[in-house]
Amino acid sequence: MILSSTLQAIGLFLVTNIDDIIVLSLFFGRGAGQRGTTVRILVGQYLGFAGILGAAVLVSLGTGAFLPPGVIPYFGLIPLGLGVWAAWQGWRRGEDDDDDAKIEGKNVAVWTVAGVTFANGGDNIGVYAPVFLSVGPGAVAAYCIVFLALVAVLVGLAKFVATRRPIAEVLERWEHILFPIVLIGLGFFILVSGGAFGF
């Protein structure tokens, strides 16, 4: 059970934060040669991600307290809808990703990184809340611990990517396809495993 929750948490973290590698690598590019850049980015990422987790937990707690258990599987429609929306947006704009605009003209400061991380995490909240609703409190705690441990790994990967441009270009090219597919799959999984629509 613990191993299963851990592996699911790792997979969920990876697919919902792949775009953060690109954004964080841009922060590293902006702060190249400045002392303390890595620490500021790491602290900012932790603050922003803690805000995302807190919001997802609060949404799931509030929803779980006011809705009957039979309604909870239908929250799989949220990641399903987000996946369809992401696919639609990706199709409309092609491969043109505007991650540069997210940090353009800003210094690499803790609060800047935290703000961009939280603002970029709206999809994460929409995905995490229904997942948290579909599992028990122990699994939610396991998810949060794994997520927080992986934040440092994410920052390390972003730093690695920032110094290897071809990798960043590959991630940027395929993220718009991978992200919608995984969200749509996750939405179907929540719906089917919860017995929504008589599945």
Short mmCIF file of all heavy atoms in Angstrom, two decimals, residues 5 8-9 12-13 16 49-64 72-73 75-76 79 124-148 186 189-190:
data_model
loop_
_atom_site.label_atom_id
_atom_site.label_comp_id
_atom_site.label_asym_id
_atom_site.label_seq_id
_atom_site.Cartn_x
_atom_site.Cartn_y
_atom_site.Cartn_z
N SER A 5 1.35 3.83 -3.11
CA SER A 5 1.08 5.27 -2.97
C SER A 5 2.31 6.08 -3.34
O SER A 5 2.21 7.12 -3.99
CB SER A 5 0.66 5.61 -1.54
OG SER A 5 -0.57 5.02 -1.24
N GLN A 8 2.75 6.00 -7.15
CA GLN A 8 1.72 6.86 -7.76
C GLN A 8 2.05 8.33 -7.55
O GLN A 8 1.87 9.16 -8.45
CB GLN A 8 0.35 6.53 -7.18
CG GLN A 8 -0.20 5.19 -7.62
CD GLN A 8 -1.44 4.79 -6.86
OE1 GLN A 8 -1.97 5.55 -6.05
NE2 GLN A 8 -1.93 3.60 -7.12
N ALA A 9 2.53 8.67 -6.34
CA ALA A 9 2.89 10.06 -6.04
C ALA A 9 4.04 10.52 -6.92
O ALA A 9 4.04 11.64 -7.44
CB ALA A 9 3.26 10.21 -4.57
N LEU A 12 2.65 11.06 -10.44
CA LEU A 12 1.80 12.25 -10.48
C LEU A 12 2.62 13.52 -10.40
O LEU A 12 2.37 14.49 -11.12
CB LEU A 12 0.79 12.19 -9.33
CG LEU A 12 -0.28 13.27 -9.29
CD1 LEU A 12 -1.12 13.26 -10.55
CD2 LEU A 12 -1.17 13.09 -8.06
N PHE A 13 3.64 13.52 -9.54
CA PHE A 13 4.51 14.70 -9.42
C PHE A 13 5.23 14.97 -10.73
O PHE A 13 5.30 16.12 -11.19
CB PHE A 13 5.53 14.49 -8.29
CG PHE A 13 6.43 15.67 -8.07
CD1 PHE A 13 6.06 16.69 -7.20
CD2 PHE A 13 7.63 15.79 -8.75
CE1 PHE A 13 6.88 17.79 -7.01
CE2 PHE A 13 8.46 16.88 -8.56
CZ PHE A 13 8.08 17.88 -7.68
N THR A 16 2.85 16.37 -13.50
CA THR A 16 2.26 17.68 -13.24
C THR A 16 3.31 18.77 -13.08
O THR A 16 2.96 19.95 -13.02
CB THR A 16 1.37 17.66 -11.98
OG1 THR A 16 2.12 17.18 -10.87
CG2 THR A 16 0.15 16.79 -12.20
N PHE A 49 5.39 25.61 -3.88
CA PHE A 49 4.80 24.28 -3.94
C PHE A 49 4.05 23.96 -2.65
O PHE A 49 3.02 23.27 -2.68
CB PHE A 49 5.86 23.21 -4.21
CG PHE A 49 5.27 21.93 -4.70
CD1 PHE A 49 4.87 21.80 -6.02
CD2 PHE A 49 5.07 20.87 -3.84
CE1 PHE A 49 4.29 20.63 -6.48
CE2 PHE A 49 4.49 19.69 -4.29
CZ PHE A 49 4.11 19.57 -5.62
N ALA A 50 4.54 24.46 -1.51
CA ALA A 50 3.81 24.28 -0.26
C ALA A 50 2.45 24.97 -0.35
O ALA A 50 1.44 24.45 0.16
CB ALA A 50 4.61 24.84 0.92
N GLY A 51 2.39 26.11 -1.00
CA GLY A 51 1.11 26.79 -1.22
C GLY A 51 0.18 25.97 -2.09
O GLY A 51 -1.03 25.87 -1.82
N ILE A 52 0.72 25.33 -3.12
CA ILE A 52 -0.08 24.48 -4.00
C ILE A 52 -0.65 23.29 -3.22
O ILE A 52 -1.83 22.98 -3.29
CB ILE A 52 0.77 23.97 -5.19
CG1 ILE A 52 1.11 25.12 -6.14
CG2 ILE A 52 0.07 22.84 -5.94
CD1 ILE A 52 2.16 24.78 -7.18
N LEU A 53 0.23 22.63 -2.43
CA LEU A 53 -0.22 21.48 -1.64
C LEU A 53 -1.26 21.89 -0.61
O LEU A 53 -2.26 21.20 -0.41
CB LEU A 53 0.97 20.83 -0.92
CG LEU A 53 1.78 19.82 -1.71
CD1 LEU A 53 2.88 19.23 -0.83
CD2 LEU A 53 0.92 18.72 -2.27
N GLY A 54 -1.01 23.02 0.06
CA GLY A 54 -1.96 23.50 1.06
C GLY A 54 -3.32 23.77 0.45
O GLY A 54 -4.36 23.39 1.02
N ALA A 55 -3.34 24.40 -0.71
CA ALA A 55 -4.61 24.69 -1.38
C ALA A 55 -5.32 23.40 -1.79
O ALA A 55 -6.53 23.26 -1.62
CB ALA A 55 -4.36 25.57 -2.60
N ALA A 56 -4.55 22.43 -2.31
CA ALA A 56 -5.16 21.16 -2.74
C ALA A 56 -5.75 20.40 -1.55
O ALA A 56 -6.84 19.84 -1.63
CB ALA A 56 -4.13 20.30 -3.46
N VAL A 57 -5.02 20.39 -0.43
CA VAL A 57 -5.52 19.70 0.77
C VAL A 57 -6.76 20.40 1.30
O VAL A 57 -7.75 19.74 1.66
CB VAL A 57 -4.42 19.62 1.86
CG1 VAL A 57 -5.00 19.16 3.19
CG2 VAL A 57 -3.31 18.68 1.42
N LEU A 58 -6.75 21.74 1.36
CA LEU A 58 -7.91 22.47 1.85
C LEU A 58 -9.13 22.25 0.96
O LEU A 58 -10.25 22.06 1.46
CB LEU A 58 -7.61 23.96 1.95
CG LEU A 58 -6.68 24.38 3.09
CD1 LEU A 58 -6.35 25.86 2.99
CD2 LEU A 58 -7.31 24.06 4.44
N VAL A 59 -8.92 22.26 -0.35
CA VAL A 59 -10.03 22.01 -1.27
C VAL A 59 -10.59 20.61 -1.06
O VAL A 59 -11.80 20.41 -0.98
CB VAL A 59 -9.58 22.21 -2.74
CG1 VAL A 59 -10.62 21.66 -3.71
CG2 VAL A 59 -9.32 23.68 -3.02
N SER A 60 -9.70 19.62 -0.93
CA SER A 60 -10.17 18.25 -0.77
C SER A 60 -10.86 18.05 0.58
O SER A 60 -11.87 17.36 0.67
CB SER A 60 -9.03 17.24 -0.94
OG SER A 60 -8.05 17.41 0.06
N LEU A 61 -10.35 18.68 1.65
CA LEU A 61 -10.98 18.57 2.97
C LEU A 61 -12.35 19.23 2.97
O LEU A 61 -13.33 18.68 3.48
CB LEU A 61 -10.10 19.20 4.04
CG LEU A 61 -8.86 18.42 4.45
CD1 LEU A 61 -8.04 19.22 5.45
CD2 LEU A 61 -9.23 17.07 5.04
N GLY A 62 -12.41 20.40 2.40
CA GLY A 62 -13.69 21.12 2.36
C GLY A 62 -14.72 20.40 1.53
O GLY A 62 -15.88 20.27 1.93
N THR A 63 -14.28 19.87 0.40
CA THR A 63 -15.21 19.15 -0.46
C THR A 63 -15.66 17.86 0.19
O THR A 63 -16.84 17.51 0.15
CB THR A 63 -14.55 18.86 -1.83
OG1 THR A 63 -14.09 20.09 -2.38
CG2 THR A 63 -15.52 18.23 -2.78
N GLY A 64 -14.73 17.13 0.81
CA GLY A 64 -15.07 15.87 1.44
C GLY A 64 -16.03 16.03 2.60
O GLY A 64 -16.82 15.13 2.90
N ILE A 72 -17.67 11.89 -5.04
CA ILE A 72 -16.23 12.09 -5.11
C ILE A 72 -15.60 11.55 -6.41
O ILE A 72 -14.76 12.23 -7.01
CB ILE A 72 -15.55 11.50 -3.85
CG1 ILE A 72 -15.93 12.37 -2.65
CG2 ILE A 72 -14.04 11.43 -4.01
CD1 ILE A 72 -15.48 11.84 -1.31
N PRO A 73 -15.98 10.35 -6.90
CA PRO A 73 -15.35 9.87 -8.14
C PRO A 73 -15.54 10.82 -9.33
O PRO A 73 -14.70 10.84 -10.24
CB PRO A 73 -16.04 8.53 -8.41
CG PRO A 73 -16.51 8.08 -7.07
CD PRO A 73 -16.86 9.34 -6.32
N PHE A 75 -15.07 13.83 -9.43
CA PHE A 75 -14.02 14.84 -9.48
C PHE A 75 -12.93 14.46 -10.47
O PHE A 75 -12.07 15.28 -10.81
CB PHE A 75 -13.44 15.10 -8.08
CG PHE A 75 -14.26 16.05 -7.27
CD1 PHE A 75 -15.37 15.61 -6.57
CD2 PHE A 75 -13.96 17.39 -7.24
CE1 PHE A 75 -16.15 16.49 -5.84
CE2 PHE A 75 -14.73 18.28 -6.51
CZ PHE A 75 -15.83 17.82 -5.81
N GLY A 76 -12.97 13.23 -10.97
CA GLY A 76 -12.08 12.86 -12.06
C GLY A 76 -12.33 13.67 -13.32
O GLY A 76 -11.48 13.76 -14.20
N PRO A 79 -9.37 16.67 -13.73
CA PRO A 79 -8.17 16.48 -14.56
C PRO A 79 -8.50 16.12 -16.00
O PRO A 79 -7.76 16.50 -16.91
CB PRO A 79 -7.42 15.33 -13.85
CG PRO A 79 -8.39 14.72 -12.94
CD PRO A 79 -9.41 15.76 -12.59
N ASN A 124 -2.02 21.90 -11.07
CA ASN A 124 -1.64 20.96 -10.02
C ASN A 124 -2.73 20.85 -8.96
O ASN A 124 -3.09 19.75 -8.54
CB ASN A 124 -0.33 21.38 -9.35
CG ASN A 124 0.85 21.39 -10.30
OD1 ASN A 124 0.72 21.78 -11.46
ND2 ASN A 124 1.98 20.98 -9.82
N ILE A 125 -3.26 21.99 -8.52
CA ILE A 125 -4.32 21.98 -7.50
C ILE A 125 -5.54 21.24 -8.03
O ILE A 125 -6.13 20.41 -7.34
CB ILE A 125 -4.69 23.42 -7.08
CG1 ILE A 125 -3.49 24.10 -6.41
CG2 ILE A 125 -5.90 23.42 -6.15
CD1 ILE A 125 -3.64 25.59 -6.22
N GLY A 126 -5.89 21.51 -9.28
CA GLY A 126 -7.04 20.85 -9.89
C GLY A 126 -6.87 19.35 -10.03
O GLY A 126 -7.84 18.60 -10.01
N VAL A 127 -5.62 18.89 -10.15
CA VAL A 127 -5.34 17.46 -10.26
C VAL A 127 -5.21 16.83 -8.88
O VAL A 127 -5.76 15.76 -8.62
CB VAL A 127 -4.06 17.21 -11.08
CG1 VAL A 127 -3.66 15.74 -11.04
CG2 VAL A 127 -4.25 17.66 -12.52
N TYR A 128 -4.46 17.49 -7.98
CA TYR A 128 -4.19 16.90 -6.66
C TYR A 128 -5.45 16.77 -5.81
O TYR A 128 -5.62 15.79 -5.10
CB TYR A 128 -3.15 17.71 -5.90
CG TYR A 128 -1.79 17.79 -6.54
CD1 TYR A 128 -0.87 18.77 -6.18
CD2 TYR A 128 -1.40 16.89 -7.53
CE1 TYR A 128 0.38 18.84 -6.76
CE2 TYR A 128 -0.16 16.97 -8.13
CZ TYR A 128 0.73 17.95 -7.74
OH TYR A 128 1.97 18.02 -8.32
N ALA A 129 -6.34 17.77 -5.85
CA ALA A 129 -7.52 17.74 -4.98
C ALA A 129 -8.39 16.50 -5.23
O ALA A 129 -8.73 15.80 -4.27
CB ALA A 129 -8.33 19.02 -5.13
N PRO A 130 -8.75 16.18 -6.48
CA PRO A 130 -9.55 14.97 -6.66
C PRO A 130 -8.81 13.68 -6.31
O PRO A 130 -9.41 12.72 -5.84
CB PRO A 130 -9.95 14.99 -8.13
CG PRO A 130 -9.07 15.98 -8.78
CD PRO A 130 -8.63 16.94 -7.73
N VAL A 131 -7.48 13.67 -6.52
CA VAL A 131 -6.70 12.49 -6.13
C VAL A 131 -6.74 12.35 -4.61
O VAL A 131 -6.95 11.26 -4.08
CB VAL A 131 -5.24 12.59 -6.64
CG1 VAL A 131 -4.38 11.49 -6.03
CG2 VAL A 131 -5.21 12.50 -8.15
N PHE A 132 -6.55 13.46 -3.89
CA PHE A 132 -6.58 13.43 -2.43
C PHE A 132 -7.95 12.99 -1.92
O PHE A 132 -8.07 12.35 -0.88
CB PHE A 132 -6.22 14.79 -1.84
CG PHE A 132 -4.77 15.17 -2.02
CD1 PHE A 132 -4.34 16.46 -1.72
CD2 PHE A 132 -3.83 14.27 -2.50
CE1 PHE A 132 -3.01 16.83 -1.87
CE2 PHE A 132 -2.50 14.63 -2.66
CZ PHE A 132 -2.09 15.92 -2.35
N LEU A 133 -9.00 13.37 -2.65
CA LEU A 133 -10.35 12.96 -2.27
C LEU A 133 -10.57 11.46 -2.46
O LEU A 133 -11.38 10.86 -1.75
CB LEU A 133 -11.39 13.71 -3.12
CG LEU A 133 -11.80 15.08 -2.61
CD1 LEU A 133 -12.58 15.81 -3.68
CD2 LEU A 133 -12.62 14.97 -1.35
N SER A 134 -9.87 10.86 -3.41
CA SER A 134 -10.11 9.45 -3.74
C SER A 134 -9.26 8.48 -2.92
O SER A 134 -9.41 7.28 -3.06
CB SER A 134 -9.88 9.22 -5.23
OG SER A 134 -8.52 9.40 -5.56
N VAL A 135 -8.36 9.01 -2.08
CA VAL A 135 -7.52 8.15 -1.24
C VAL A 135 -7.70 8.52 0.23
O VAL A 135 -8.29 9.56 0.54
CB VAL A 135 -6.02 8.26 -1.63
CG1 VAL A 135 -5.80 7.81 -3.06
CG2 VAL A 135 -5.49 9.68 -1.43
N GLY A 136 -7.19 7.70 1.13
CA GLY A 136 -7.32 7.96 2.56
C GLY A 136 -6.31 8.98 3.06
O GLY A 136 -5.38 9.36 2.34
N PRO A 137 -6.47 9.42 4.32
CA PRO A 137 -5.56 10.41 4.91
C PRO A 137 -4.10 9.97 4.93
O PRO A 137 -3.19 10.78 4.73
CB PRO A 137 -6.09 10.60 6.33
CG PRO A 137 -7.49 10.09 6.30
CD PRO A 137 -7.56 9.06 5.23
N GLY A 138 -3.86 8.68 5.17
CA GLY A 138 -2.48 8.18 5.17
C GLY A 138 -1.83 8.33 3.82
O GLY A 138 -0.65 8.71 3.71
N ALA A 139 -2.59 8.03 2.77
CA ALA A 139 -2.06 8.16 1.41
C ALA A 139 -1.81 9.63 1.06
O ALA A 139 -0.83 9.97 0.39
CB ALA A 139 -3.01 7.53 0.40
N VAL A 140 -2.69 10.53 1.54
CA VAL A 140 -2.50 11.97 1.30
C VAL A 140 -1.19 12.42 1.94
O VAL A 140 -0.40 13.14 1.33
CB VAL A 140 -3.68 12.80 1.84
CG1 VAL A 140 -3.37 14.29 1.78
CG2 VAL A 140 -4.95 12.50 1.06
N ALA A 141 -0.94 11.96 3.18
CA ALA A 141 0.32 12.31 3.87
C ALA A 141 1.51 11.77 3.09
O ALA A 141 2.52 12.47 2.92
CB ALA A 141 0.31 11.77 5.30
N ALA A 142 1.40 10.54 2.59
CA ALA A 142 2.49 9.94 1.82
C ALA A 142 2.74 10.73 0.53
O ALA A 142 3.89 11.01 0.18
CB ALA A 142 2.17 8.48 1.49
N TYR A 143 1.66 11.12 -0.15
CA TYR A 143 1.78 11.93 -1.36
C TYR A 143 2.53 13.23 -1.05
O TYR A 143 3.44 13.62 -1.79
CB TYR A 143 0.40 12.26 -1.93
CG TYR A 143 -0.16 11.24 -2.89
CD1 TYR A 143 -0.53 9.98 -2.45
CD2 TYR A 143 -0.34 11.53 -4.23
CE1 TYR A 143 -1.07 9.04 -3.32
CE2 TYR A 143 -0.88 10.61 -5.11
CZ TYR A 143 -1.23 9.36 -4.65
OH TYR A 143 -1.75 8.43 -5.51
N CYS A 144 2.11 13.91 0.01
CA CYS A 144 2.72 15.21 0.35
C CYS A 144 4.20 15.06 0.68
O CYS A 144 5.02 15.87 0.25
CB CYS A 144 1.98 15.85 1.52
SG CYS A 144 0.32 16.42 1.10
N ILE A 145 4.56 14.01 1.43
CA ILE A 145 5.97 13.79 1.78
C ILE A 145 6.79 13.53 0.53
O ILE A 145 7.88 14.10 0.34
CB ILE A 145 6.10 12.62 2.79
CG1 ILE A 145 5.53 13.04 4.15
CG2 ILE A 145 7.55 12.17 2.93
CD1 ILE A 145 5.32 11.90 5.12
N VAL A 146 6.28 12.67 -0.36
CA VAL A 146 6.99 12.36 -1.60
C VAL A 146 7.11 13.62 -2.47
O VAL A 146 8.18 13.92 -3.01
CB VAL A 146 6.29 11.23 -2.38
CG1 VAL A 146 6.89 11.05 -3.77
CG2 VAL A 146 6.36 9.93 -1.60
N PHE A 147 6.02 14.37 -2.59
CA PHE A 147 6.05 15.60 -3.39
C PHE A 147 7.13 16.56 -2.87
O PHE A 147 7.90 17.12 -3.65
CB PHE A 147 4.70 16.30 -3.35
CG PHE A 147 3.62 15.64 -4.17
CD1 PHE A 147 2.31 16.07 -4.07
CD2 PHE A 147 3.90 14.60 -5.04
CE1 PHE A 147 1.31 15.47 -4.82
CE2 PHE A 147 2.91 13.99 -5.79
CZ PHE A 147 1.60 14.44 -5.68
N LEU A 148 7.15 16.77 -1.56
CA LEU A 148 8.11 17.72 -0.99
C LEU A 148 9.54 17.23 -1.16
O LEU A 148 10.46 18.04 -1.38
CB LEU A 148 7.78 17.98 0.48
CG LEU A 148 6.48 18.76 0.71
CD1 LEU A 148 6.14 18.82 2.19
CD2 LEU A 148 6.57 20.17 0.13
N LEU A 186 -5.46 10.22 -16.19
CA LEU A 186 -5.71 10.30 -14.75
C LEU A 186 -7.19 10.53 -14.48
O LEU A 186 -7.77 9.92 -13.57
CB LEU A 186 -4.88 11.42 -14.14
CG LEU A 186 -5.04 11.66 -12.64
CD1 LEU A 186 -4.56 10.45 -11.85
CD2 LEU A 186 -4.28 12.90 -12.23
N PHE A 189 -8.99 7.35 -14.95
CA PHE A 189 -8.66 6.43 -13.85
C PHE A 189 -9.50 6.72 -12.61
O PHE A 189 -10.06 5.82 -11.99
CB PHE A 189 -7.17 6.51 -13.51
CG PHE A 189 -6.80 5.71 -12.30
CD1 PHE A 189 -6.69 4.33 -12.37
CD2 PHE A 189 -6.58 6.34 -11.08
CE1 PHE A 189 -6.36 3.58 -11.24
CE2 PHE A 189 -6.26 5.61 -9.95
CZ PHE A 189 -6.15 4.23 -10.04
N ILE A 190 -9.60 8.00 -12.25
CA ILE A 190 -10.38 8.39 -11.06
C ILE A 190 -11.86 8.06 -11.27
O ILE A 190 -12.53 7.53 -10.38
CB ILE A 190 -10.19 9.88 -10.74
CG1 ILE A 190 -8.75 10.15 -10.29
CG2 ILE A 190 -11.16 10.35 -9.66
CD1 ILE A 190 -8.39 11.61 -10.18
#
